[in-house]
Amino acid sequence: MYGTVLLFIFAMVRGKTPVMPTEPLHVGGLLYLAIPGSVVAFIAYLALVDRVSAGRATYVTVLFPVVALTVSTFLEGYVWPPIGATWLAMVLLGNITIFARLPRFGQPSVKPAAAE
């Protein structure tokens, strides 16, 4: 909201009139961002929170840029620089580390006998 108001003020100061483009591609992009990009994504995120807990669901937000850059790779021809590929590997390794069910070391392997 603040950004919209500041942009409007900036346009007025410069003597420009804000005009929303009405081309089908622009309107389609706006609808995509509003419906699947916001509403559906938020519902899916809430379902994930319900399934794995809020604490663990936050780690998924780290994947948002990965998904965006992957889509850009296929649709826009984005080329991954070496540092970007390294970043991608670290993000994926971090998520695997968080969500993997690894054996716990230092835990007793034999359960204590029940008291009689």
Side-chain angles (χ1 to χ4, degrees), residues 1 4 11 16 20 22 35 38 46-47 55-56 59 70-71 82 88 92 100 103-104 108:
M1 184 72 179
T4 303
K16 305 288 183 182
M20 181 178 157
T22 57
I35 298 168
S38 295
L46 288 178
R56 294 183 79 177
Y59 291 105
T70 302
V71 169
L88 172 67
L92 295 177
R104 294 184 179 206

Side-chain angles (χ1 to χ4, degrees), residues 2-80:
Y2 293 114
T4 303
V5 170
L6 289 174
L7 185 61
F8 183 78
I9 292 169
F10 182 72
M12 291 291 119
V13 168
R14 294 191 65 202
K16 305 288 183 182
T17 304
V19 177
M20 181 178 157
T22 57
E23 295 87 26
L25 189 60
H26 180 80
V27 174
L30 186 62
L31 289 174
Y32 168 76
L33 288 173
I35 298 168
S38 295
V39 176
V40 174
F42 189 68
I43 292 169
Y45 184 71
L46 288 178
L48 181 66
V49 167
D50 185 49
R51 181 175 286 173
V52 299
S53 82
R56 294 183 79 177
T58 57
Y59 291 105
V60 175
T61 61
V62 175
L63 293 176
F64 294 167
V66 174
V67 172
L69 289 173
T70 302
V71 169
S72 291
T73 299
F74 291 109
L75 298 181
E76 300 170 348
Y78 175 74
V79 178
W80 289 81

